[in-house]
Amino acid sequence: MLNSTSTHVLPVSYDETWMSADDLYLFNEGKHYRLFDKMGAHPTIINGTQGVRFAVWAPNARYITVMGDFNHWNNTSHPLRPISQTGIWHGCIEGISVGTRYKFHVHGPNNYRYDKMDPYAFACEVAPDTASIVSDLSYQWKDNEWISHRKVKNGTTAPCSVYEVHLGSWRRVPEEGYRSLTYRELAEHLPKYVADHGFTHVEFLPVMEHPFFGSWGYQMTGYFAPTSRYGSPQDLMFLIDALHQKGIGVILDWVPSHFPCDGHGLSYFDGTYLYEHADHRQGFHPDWGSYIFNYGRHEVANFLINSALFWLEKYHVDGIRVDAVASMLYLDYSRKPGEWIPNKHGGRENLEAIEFLRRFNEEVYSRFPDVQTFAEESTSWPLVSRPTYLGGLGFGYKWDMGWMHDTLKYFAQDPVHRKYHHHQLTFRSLYAFSENYILPLSHDEVVHGKGSLLNKMPGDEWQQRANLRLMLGYLFTQPGKKLLFMGGEFGQKSEWNHDSSLDWHLLNDARHSAIARWIGDLNHLYRSEASLHTKDMEPSGFQWIEANDMDQSVYIYMRLGDTGDRPIVIAFNCTPIIRRNYRMGVPLGGVWQELLNSDATIYGGSGQGNFGQVDSVPFGSHSQPHSLTVSLPPLSIVIFAPMPTLSKQPRVE
């Protein structure tokens, strides 16, 4: 790369052979799924000299130049040339290489002029600077063992317990102004921490480049660039590689629902509404002050699908979680009458967005059948996680937002009032298997004055921790995969603040380290007992034993697996009153182990329980042929299973 004091004007050449007639045809059809190999900035050899090939889509531009540190940011000296009627502008500049900073200077209609970042850039400057950086993505991966077994690890019958992480605030360095950890520093700590606590996956809040740190990444500009706040593309690859080598899958949050209005980004890219709609009733999001993608434009939909495929291929990620799907599906989302435009049939459904989401899932699963896609969809839209050939949207999983809100609302109640809200917890049974569900206790529930999970709980400090352990036990024993936002695993007291670290000092307090131990033991049990995960998506994997004891606020249910998997019976008492001599039905005779008890002293409880095991009697109860007489400790969940000698009995029906 030439230094910034050079006065040499580098030549621009044009080589249209890099994009064939087939490439151009697929591009115009919106079905070119390797555009990240063609568009943007790619190091190449030009006339025997190192150089960079540039390409950008701007169909309404009058002319476009490349400006950067190689030409003193001169916006006239290095013009690009259009390729026929495709809207693509391209050119090759000799004498520059990886590390070069650049922008596209776009001159559009009505004398529009703006310096734009590259939509396909692989790296960007650290915000608030906005230039793109020529990069290569070479990296020597060491995760072959993980990739070879990923299909099983990511399957719907496998355990899936997700630790949701915001990289910039997970852990900071107080000795250096409380800066965030780099990707490589995270690789030293995060994989071991996640593995030690038993989680199977991590989910990163968006790592794609974003100008405003306070958006948590959800207002992204770099759809192909990891944020440079924490390091280079290879540094992020190193972190993902380290997680894979620890047996941890990686899910990325991804935002095709909207993009920010920052002038250097996608908005008004060529002097026209290119990526967004011209009409604000279709193209502007009132909640987030951002633009909505025009999914009906082939090139825009193709750009977004390329982005998803890019992260799966180049960064080896194991899943894509799509943010704010509900806002994509409904034309009247967060809008009043008259503020939206009906579809061609007069309805409120966004037909173009529906088609885009189906195409996205079809292309992901056709190319990466061993990964999963996840929808954050908060309405009752049907068949979100069902195949497109059945009329579904094609996602692998859907977040169960209804479960999250009902659960948090119930556990926020003072126990004396819980009997009046008893069926907030049983209601989920009516729809629990209509989708493949993720049960999230996510970042959105611990910010903006909502308080931490611990501080949502009623009562004194002891009762708050007991309630939290109880709620977490409920999460890990319900049918559905699990997701817990960072800090919840040790009872973070304060709500999440993206500008500071988690309160790691709390782990020096035995009361909080006990909660962390509880999470680790729950994860271990969830992963080791097949009945707790193999039939998460099937009605035959769940059965109520007692759903109506509202006066005592007691719930009992059973999780079931395949033949040979021992049944797991879960009982929880949502009041601070111990329930002694409580008779509950079980399907098998013999001795039943008390596998976990959230009131055990090692978890910070009062030590009430059943001395590790209970003998059944052949006295039927709750429509079961046998029964146990147990103690249900205050504000606790107790998990039972027959002794292993009974585990080979025929499957319980």
Side-chain angles (χ1 to χ4, degrees):
M1 183 181 73
L2 293 180
N3 62 44
S4 60
T5 62
S6 173
T7 59
H8 178 62
V9 177
L10 302 174
V12 182
S13 58
Y14 304 97
D15 176 14
E16 297 182 11
T17 62
W18 60 273
M19 187 171 274
S20 68
D22 286 344
D23 287 324
L24 296 176
Y25 172 78
L26 291 172
F27 174 78
N28 287 325
E29 287 288 304
K31 296 180 180 179
H32 196 310
Y33 298 117
R34 297 200 63 85
L35 280 173
F36 47 84
D37 289 335
K38 302 290 183 177
M39 305 295 288
H42 294 269
T44 188
I45 301 298
I46 307 166
N47 299 322
T49 303
Q50 179 65 52
V52 174
R53 184 185 69 235
F54 295 93
V56 62
W57 178 60
N60 302 298
R62 298 292 185 260
Y63 67 80
I64 296 179
T65 62
V66 184
M67 52 187 288
D69 48 17
F70 63 91
N71 66 2
H72 304 290
W73 299 96
N74 186 315
N75 63 13
T76 62
S77 62
H78 289 79
L80 300 182
R81 190 172 75 184
I83 301 178
S84 63
Q85 303 301 313
T86 62
I88 297 174
W89 297 69
H90 93 293
C92 303
I93 302 177
E94 299 177 28
I96 62 174
S97 61
V98 170
T100 300
R101 297 180 301 149
Y102 69 98
K103 289 185 180 182
F104 294 124
H105 177 70
V106 179
H107 184 186
N110 302 315
N111 207 33
Y112 173 85
R113 296 173 183 268
Y114 219 101
D115 300 333
K116 292 286 190 176
M117 65 170 287
D118 180 358
Y120 283 87
F122 294 157
C124 301
E125 289 185 295
V126 178
D129 294 326
T130 59
S132 302
I133 301 174
V134 177
S135 305
D136 71 61
L137 298 178
S138 58
Y139 179 80
Q140 189 64 45
W141 289 90
K142 299 177 182 178
D143 62 350
N144 289 340
E145 183 177 354
W146 167 264
I147 296 296
S148 65
H149 295 94
R150 182 166 68 173
K151 185 174 183 178
V152 173
K153 300 284 189 180
N154 275 348
T156 57
T157 60
C160 179
S161 177
V162 182
Y163 184 58
E164 189 186 26
V165 181
H166 177 255
L167 293 180
S169 58
W170 181 67
R171 180 172 290 176
R172 295 198 171 202
V173 184
E175 299 82 3
E176 300 178 29
Y178 284 92
R179 68 167 177 84
S180 300
L181 298 183
T182 66
Y183 292 126
R184 288 185 180 262
E185 288 171 333
L186 284 159
E188 294 179 23
H189 303 285
L190 184 62
K192 183 179 186 304
Y193 182 84
V194 173
D196 286 350
H197 285 76
F199 293 97
T200 64
H201 293 71
V202 294
E203 180 177 320
F204 295 155
L205 272 63
V207 299
M208 297 79 180
E209 194 60 82
H210 48 284
F212 178 45
F213 186 68
S215 75
W216 315 333
Y218 290 100
Q219 296 265 2
M220 63 177 60
T221 51
Y223 277 77
F224 296 82
T227 179
S228 53
R229 291 175 174 89
Y230 318 126
S232 70
Q234 284 77 11
D235 293 337
L236 175 57
M237 293 174 184
F238 184 84
L239 170 58
I240 294 171
D241 205 354
L243 285 159
H244 283 172
Q245 291 177 55
K246 272 290 189 179
I248 306 299
V250 179
I251 303 163
L252 297 187
D253 276 13
W254 182 63
V255 189
S257 50
H258 63 111
F259 61 93
C261 302
D262 298 66
H264 70 279
L266 296 177
S267 64
Y268 214 60
F269 189 80
D270 63 357
T272 68
Y273 294 103
L274 187 63
Y275 287 89
E276 67 272 46
H277 291 273
D279 193 319
H280 270 33
R281 292 175 295 174
Q282 295 174 292
F284 187 78
H285 203 296
D287 284 352
W288 302 313
S290 52
Y291 286 123
I292 298 170
F293 284 103
N294 183 350
Y295 308 106
R297 177 166 274 166
H298 294 324
E299 298 89 346
V300 173
N302 204 187
F303 167 81
L304 290 170
I305 293 173
N306 264 266
S307 172
L309 298 176
F310 170 84
W311 294 100
L312 292 166
E313 177 179 323
K314 300 296 186 181
Y315 286 84
H316 287 205
V317 301
D318 308 291
I320 298 286
R321 180 261 196 184
V322 181
D323 182 63
V325 170
S327 74
M328 301 170 68
L329 294 174
Y330 299 97
L331 294 166
D332 63 346
Y333 183 89
S334 196
R335 296 178 186 273
K336 299 175 183 177
E339 294 180 349
W340 58 283
I341 300 175
N343 64 34
K344 63 183 179 181
H345 303 299
R348 59 196 286 253
E349 299 81 11
N350 189 332
L351 303 180
E352 291 80 11
I354 295 166
E355 176 60 24
F356 162 73
L357 290 170
R358 287 173 172 162
R359 278 185 55 205
F360 153 75
N361 281 305
E362 288 169 354
E363 297 304 328
V364 165
Y365 282 113
S366 67
R367 287 165 170 75
F368 301 93
D370 54 351
V371 306
Q372 293 287 2
T373 62
F374 306 80
E376 187 214 17
E377 203 287 308
S378 56
T379 74
S380 58
W381 188 280
L383 306 178
V384 171
S385 59
R386 296 295 179 260
T388 58
Y389 62 79
L390 295 178
L393 293 181
F395 284 94
Y397 290 98
K398 172 181 173 173
W399 275 28
D400 192 345
M401 309 292 280
W403 172 87
M404 179 176 69
H405 293 307
D406 286 346
T407 297
L408 292 175
K409 188 174 181 180
Y410 176 86
F411 280 100
Q413 297 285 341
D414 188 295
V416 74
H417 301 305
R418 285 177 177 170
K419 65 181 180 180
Y420 304 111
H421 304 271
H422 190 80
H423 292 298
Q424 277 186 312
L425 296 191
T426 63
F427 174 73
R428 181 173 186 262
S429 302
L430 299 177
Y431 70 86
F433 305 101
S434 61
E435 301 275 5
N436 297 339
Y437 280 116
I438 293 276
L439 307 182
L441 292 173
S442 76
H443 65 278
D444 277 327
E445 303 311 308
V446 293
V447 290
H448 300 321
K450 296 177 184 176
S452 66
L453 291 181
L454 181 63
N455 281 340
K456 292 179 190 293
M457 302 295 107
D460 59 26
E461 286 191 14
W462 188 94
Q463 290 183 344
Q464 282 186 309
R465 291 191 297 276
N467 272 302
L468 179 61
R469 295 193 303 271
L470 171 54
M471 184 176 72
L472 293 171
Y474 173 59
L475 163 68
F476 276 89
T477 56
Q478 275 285 294
K481 308 310 181 185
K482 328 300 178 188
L483 182 141
L484 181 65
F485 185 59
M486 63 183 198
E489 77 278 10
F490 60 79
Q492 169 99 358
K493 283 186 175 181
S494 58
E495 71 175 22
W496 173 50
N497 180 354
H498 63 270
D499 282 325
S500 65
S501 175
L502 295 182
D503 295 334
W504 293 105
H505 64 277
L506 291 177
L507 286 173
N508 296 322
D509 183 331
R511 297 170 299 178
H512 290 273
S513 62
I515 295 173
R517 181 171 182 171
W518 173 239
I519 283 291
D521 288 350
L522 282 171
N523 264 321
H524 175 75
L525 185 71
Y526 168 63
R527 296 173 67 168
S528 63
E529 293 290 344
S531 290
L532 288 176
H533 61 255
T534 56
K535 291 186 176 293
D536 272 334
M537 309 304 152
E538 301 179 35
S540 61
F542 176 86
Q543 184 178 329
W544 278 108
I545 291 177
E546 173 57 83
N548 296 304
D549 188 358
M550 58 189 65
D551 287 336
Q552 299 187 86
S553 294
V554 168
Y555 302 80
I556 307 171
Y557 51 79
M558 181 162 53
R559 297 298 310 278
L560 301 164
D562 294 317
T563 299
D565 298 332
R566 60 177 178 173
I568 307 295
V569 172
I570 300 99
F572 51 108
N573 170 17
C574 296
T575 70
I577 301 169
I578 187 170
R579 305 296 180 187
R580 300 188 187 278
N581 300 316
Y582 194 99
R583 182 173 297 278
M584 67 180 195
V586 291
L588 299 173
V591 179
W592 283 68
Q593 292 177 280
E594 186 181 72
L595 299 179
L596 284 181
N597 176 352
S598 68
D599 194 53
T601 56
I602 59 172
Y603 304 129
S606 64
Q608 300 296 317
N610 299 279
F611 303 101
Q613 63 184 46
V614 184
D615 291 324
S616 71
V617 294
F619 181 84
S621 180
H622 297 101
S623 300
Q624 300 294 325
H626 304 270
S627 61
L628 307 176
T629 300
V630 299
S631 289
L632 300 180
L635 296 173
S636 70
I637 184 166
V638 188
I639 303 173
F640 299 94
M643 292 291 282
T645 54
L646 298 178
S647 63
K648 298 303 180 183
Q649 291 194 11
R651 184 182 181 278
V652 175
E653 299 294 341

